Every structure is written in structure tokens, then in C-alpha cells.
Amino acid sequence: MDPSSPPFLLAKLTPLHSEQLLQGLNVLRQHQELCDVVLRVGEAKIHAHKVVLASISPYFKAMFTGNLSEKENAEVEFQCVDEAALQAIVEYAYTGTVFISQDTVESLLPAANLLQVKLVLKECCAFLESQLDPGNCIGIWRFAETYGCHELYLAASKFICQNFEDVCQTEEFLELTHSELDEIVSNDCLNVVTEETVFYALEAWVKYDVQERQKYLAQLLHCVRLPLLSVKFLTRLYEANHLIRDDHTCKHLLNEALKYHFMPEHRLSHQSMLLTRPRCAPKVLCAVGGKAGLFACLESMERYDPSKNSWETVASMADKRINFGVGVMLGFIFVVGGHNGVSHLSSIERYDPHQNQWTVCRPMKEPRTGVGAAVIDNQLYVVGGHSGSSYLNTVQRYEPISDSWLDSAGMLYCRCNFGLTAL
């Protein structure tokens, strides 16, 4: 260093400087000094600095820097903003703090949303999410949808589904519109022990204003997974429930549900599959077939439940299999091809977890061992493998509703024992 150079110090005091700057600006505002805009709500007038407001709000920035008349005006009138909410947002601009309570949030959130003050809006949403309970979750759900608060809307929707058995006992639930109720009870994540809860909730909603709401019963009954109800319950509804008995469409839906129990061939119809998906189905791991030791092939299947940390043996396949393909679609497990220890297989089997049984389906056109299988759009693609005499590049597509096979474009090369996935 040159000894003749004057000494200097560069002090980095950014947090202290920022705090001092805000405090200084706030003092100027409180004394109405150097203020260049007045925000008027009714008879109330709020003095502020345009540059401060524009720094925290794209709404104010556009107002004061664009081609709007407010750019030159010293006074701006607001007609759709609550006075206390606007005052709170101006305070936030100068202090970085805002007071949120049950009394203020309903006016503060719409104001923050309109003025595009994102941090205040985020804090309002977080506050409402922390206040969710069975008695207010539907109101918060509607509120979030009205103001486009997507994350709060999802949180409230999740809360409604998780606590449905309590929520459906509230006054808010009975005051739902039919379209809102349809959206809720259609949700796959509705947390109910039995579909009876869903039916009784719909029935209570209809009876709350039966003259006006009875016309929606059939539409809403479509949302109940009727085939998951017992034969006894379905029969009792058919015989004793006058709301059901007097509606032709409702009776038809019950008939279809009874067919599911008494006529297994109807279970693969598209409608039956939609109506038998369990709510909040637990995720389990299935181990199917394979080898026990050096030579023994297995037809058995075991199921692991992570929530219980336990394995259980379930129904066995019709055929022993190794080196087969497997896919999951429409709530069923499909296993295809493979080898049974003696010969290559062209057969395919379907496992129904609700009935705990396997069904043999229409076989492939040729046997395949070491095959690849993947599901796209509820169709099972079976690719390559070995037929017992040659390696294959052919691809077949299985359509479960019609229980039929179609040829698809073949691979460029023959392959066996390879990896395959749908993306």
C-alpha cells in the first residue's frame, strides 16, 4: 500500500441502513412531509409516497408510472377496498409488518390480492390455513377460490376430504350448492371408512331442502361408489328409501351396483371400474410369482402393507410363472407371459384386489418369456421376449374392456430380459 494514500473504510451496514431508511420514510409519512399522494376511501385520507407504494405493489407501480390519469393526480380514490385494509397495507409498505386476525383477514386478503402485495397475500393465506376446522373449511375453500388463492384452495380442499365425516355434519356442508357437493364427493381422496357415509351425507343435503334438491339426487348418486356397498345395504335402499324408490335413474344405478355383486362378468365395464376405485386406497407392494430356490416356480403372491409393516399371502395365480411381464391398470394387476418351469406361456391373468381373486384373460397370439410390459392410456403393451424358438421384436397391445389383443409397430431389434417403462 502506498504510505501516501489516505486511509479509508468501506463499512457494510446494509441491514442497519435499510431499517433506518424505512423508519425515516415512515416518520415523513406520519408527519405528512414530502408525501405526493393521498389515498382516499370514503371520507378517510391516507397520505403516502408514490415511490414507496410502487416498490411493494405492481398495481401501484402501474398506476404511478403508466399512462393512467392517477400518474399526475395528487389524490386517488378507492371504492372497492376496505379502509382499514388499505391503511394496513400502507403501514406494511413502511414497516414490513402487518397485523392479521380473524377480524381483519377477510378484508385484508381481498385488498392485498387487488393491490398485488404478494407477501401480505401469502401471510393471509397462511393464517387462514392455520385456522382450518370442520366448521369453517368450506367457507375458506370458497373464499380461496373467489380470490384465486390456489395453494389455500388446495389446502382447504384437502382438509375437507381428510375430515369429511366431521365436515358433513356442519351447517356449511348443508348449504353447499349441488355443483360444489358434486366436486367434493367425487374426490378419490375422500377419507371415509365406508361409502355409506357418503350416501348419508348426500341424503342429509337433499333433505335440507327436499323440494329444490331432489332433482339433483340421481346426479349426485353417480358420485357414490355404489358397488362398494353391501348387498344388504343396497337392497334396503331399494325397498325402503322413498327418495330412491321414486326416481327411475336412482333405481337404475342401484340395479347396476347389484349386478356388480351378482354378475362378475360386468366388473370389467368402464363404468364399474370407475365406481369401484376405493377412496384413499392404501399403497401396497405386491410380490408375484418368481422362483423359490433353484428349480421351484411359484404361483403365489404376497402383499406388503407399509402402514402395518407386515406381509400377507393373498390369492395365487392359476399358473406358476417366472420372467413374466406385469402392469397395473384400472385398479387391477395384470401378469402376462413368462415360463412355468416346463414351457413358455402366452397366458395372461388379472388380479382383483377387492375380490382377492385372479381371472384368466384372453391369451396372447404367441408365448413370450423375458417380456417387457408397460401401461399407457389403460392399455397394456407387451414387447419382445423369447417365444421358445426365437427372440422377438413384435409388440402386442391388450385392451382390457374388450379382452382383446391388437398388433402394434414392432421394435427395430429383437430383445429379451430388458427394461421397459412408460413415459
Side-chain angles (χ1 to χ4, degrees):
M1 178 181 291
D2 186 351
S4 63
S5 299
F8 65 89
L9 173 67
L10 181 62
K12 191 173 183 181
L13 304 174
T14 304
L16 182 61
H17 172 71
S18 302
E19 183 178 342
Q20 186 177 6
L21 179 63
L22 273 179
Q23 289 174 350
L25 288 168
N26 197 31
V27 170
L28 290 172
R29 177 184 69 89
Q30 290 169 343
H31 290 87
Q32 298 181 16
E33 294 176 336
L34 301 179
C35 294
D36 53 0
V37 69
V38 174
L39 310 180
R40 184 159 60 83
V41 185
E43 299 301 318
K45 293 185 177 182
I46 304 170
H47 293 261
H49 304 88
K50 290 181 179 179
V51 66
V52 175
L53 299 180
S55 69
I56 60 107
S57 162
Y59 180 94
F60 281 124
K61 182 179 179 182
M63 176 182 288
F64 298 141
T65 63
N67 296 321
L68 302 175
S69 60
E70 288 86 354
K71 178 180 180 180
E72 307 300 333
N73 293 350
E75 186 170 296
V76 179
E77 181 178 7
F78 288 85
Q79 296 180 339
C80 302
V81 179
D82 179 80
E83 175 189 339
L86 184 57
Q87 181 68 55
I89 287 174
V90 172
E91 291 279 349
Y92 165 77
Y94 287 85
T95 65
T97 60
V98 63
F99 176 72
I100 304 173
S101 69
Q102 290 182 343
D103 295 329
T104 65
V105 71
E106 288 192 29
S107 59
L108 185 58
L109 186 149
N113 183 64
L114 172 67
L115 302 176
Q116 301 173 38
V117 186
K118 293 183 179 179
L119 290 178
V120 174
L121 180 62
K122 182 179 179 180
E123 289 303 315
C124 287
C125 290
F127 175 81
L128 286 173
E129 185 173 343
S130 72
Q131 299 297 303
L132 284 167
D133 65 47
N136 68 16
C137 57
I138 290 175
I140 292 175
W141 179 60
R142 286 170 161 169
F143 192 68
E145 183 178 31
T146 299
Y147 293 104
C149 303
H150 183 64
E151 290 185 7
L152 178 60
Y153 177 82
L154 292 178
S157 180
K158 181 178 179 181
F159 186 94
I160 292 168
C161 290
Q162 287 295 313
N163 300 274
F164 181 77
E165 295 193 353
D166 293 325
V167 173
C168 69
Q169 304 295 322
T170 66
E171 189 74 13
E172 276 194 348
F173 179 83
L174 296 175
E175 293 174 352
L176 287 168
T177 66
H178 77 277
S179 57
E180 290 172 333
L181 181 59
D182 187 294
E183 181 178 347
I184 291 171
V185 296
S186 297
N187 198 307
D188 282 341
C189 292
L190 208 62
N191 184 23
V192 291
V193 176
T194 170
E195 285 296 305
E196 291 182 20
T197 302
V198 185
F199 175 81
Y200 285 132
L202 295 185
E203 184 181 48
W205 181 87
V206 171
K207 288 183 176 179
Y208 188 73
D209 186 1
V210 69
Q211 296 299 322
E212 174 61 27
R213 295 178 173 182
Q214 187 170 4
K215 61 188 176 187
Y216 299 119
L217 180 59
Q219 173 190 336
L220 293 168
L221 202 59
H222 276 284
C223 304
V224 182
R225 313 287 164 90
L226 292 173
L228 299 182
L229 295 169
S230 67
V231 173
K232 181 179 179 181
F233 186 85
L234 291 168
T235 304
R236 188 167 71 246
L237 283 184
Y238 199 95
E239 294 174 348
N241 191 300
H242 73 89
L243 292 174
I244 300 291
R245 192 175 60 244
D246 296 341
D247 189 296
H248 175 75
T249 304
C250 290
K251 288 196 294 185
H252 172 73
L253 291 173
L254 289 188
N255 283 335
E256 291 299 308
L258 288 168
K259 280 183 183 179
Y260 181 86
H261 288 279
F262 295 127
M263 303 171 69
E265 64 270 19
H266 286 274
R267 290 176 187 166
L268 264 181
S269 72
H270 181 67
Q271 189 64 24
S272 291
M273 289 178 174
L274 290 176
L275 292 175
T276 54
R277 294 196 311 269
R279 314 268 190 177
C280 294
K283 304 299 182 183
V284 296
L285 175 69
C286 295
V288 190
K291 270 191 172 184
L294 187 59
F295 301 107
C297 295
L298 301 174
E299 71 272 23
S300 59
M301 181 167 82
E302 294 182 52
R303 183 168 61 196
Y304 175 69
D305 185 340
S307 65
K308 299 176 182 177
N309 190 29
S310 63
W311 288 88
E312 64 172 330
T313 301
V314 293
S316 296
M317 297 181 289
D319 279 321
K320 299 177 180 180
R321 295 177 191 267
I322 58 173
N323 295 338
F324 54 91
V326 62
V328 177
M329 57 181 174
L330 298 171
F332 298 90
I333 296 174
F334 292 80
V335 296
V336 57
H339 198 277
N340 63 6
V342 177
S343 58
H344 299 267
L345 301 173
S346 61
S347 61
I348 176 172
E349 299 182 48
R350 180 188 76 239
Y351 177 70
D352 182 344
H354 309 306
Q355 305 295 322
N356 187 30
Q357 67 181 31
W358 289 88
T359 301
V360 176
C361 305
R362 186 185 299 274
M364 296 181 289
K365 296 178 180 178
E366 56 187 339
R368 295 172 186 262
T369 299
V371 65
V375 174
I376 300 177
D377 295 332
N378 289 326
Q379 296 195 4
L380 180 67
Y381 287 77
V382 181
V383 182
H386 196 280
S387 67
S389 58
S390 62
Y391 292 100
L392 304 171
N393 68 338
T394 54
V395 178
Q396 288 185 265
R397 184 174 81 246
Y398 177 69
E399 210 291 314
I401 305 298
S402 61
D403 190 28
S404 60
W405 289 92
L406 297 171
D407 290 324
S408 292
M411 296 184 290
L412 298 179
Y413 301 100
C414 296
R415 296 177 191 268
C416 184
N417 297 325
F418 54 96
L420 182 70
T421 190
L423 179 61

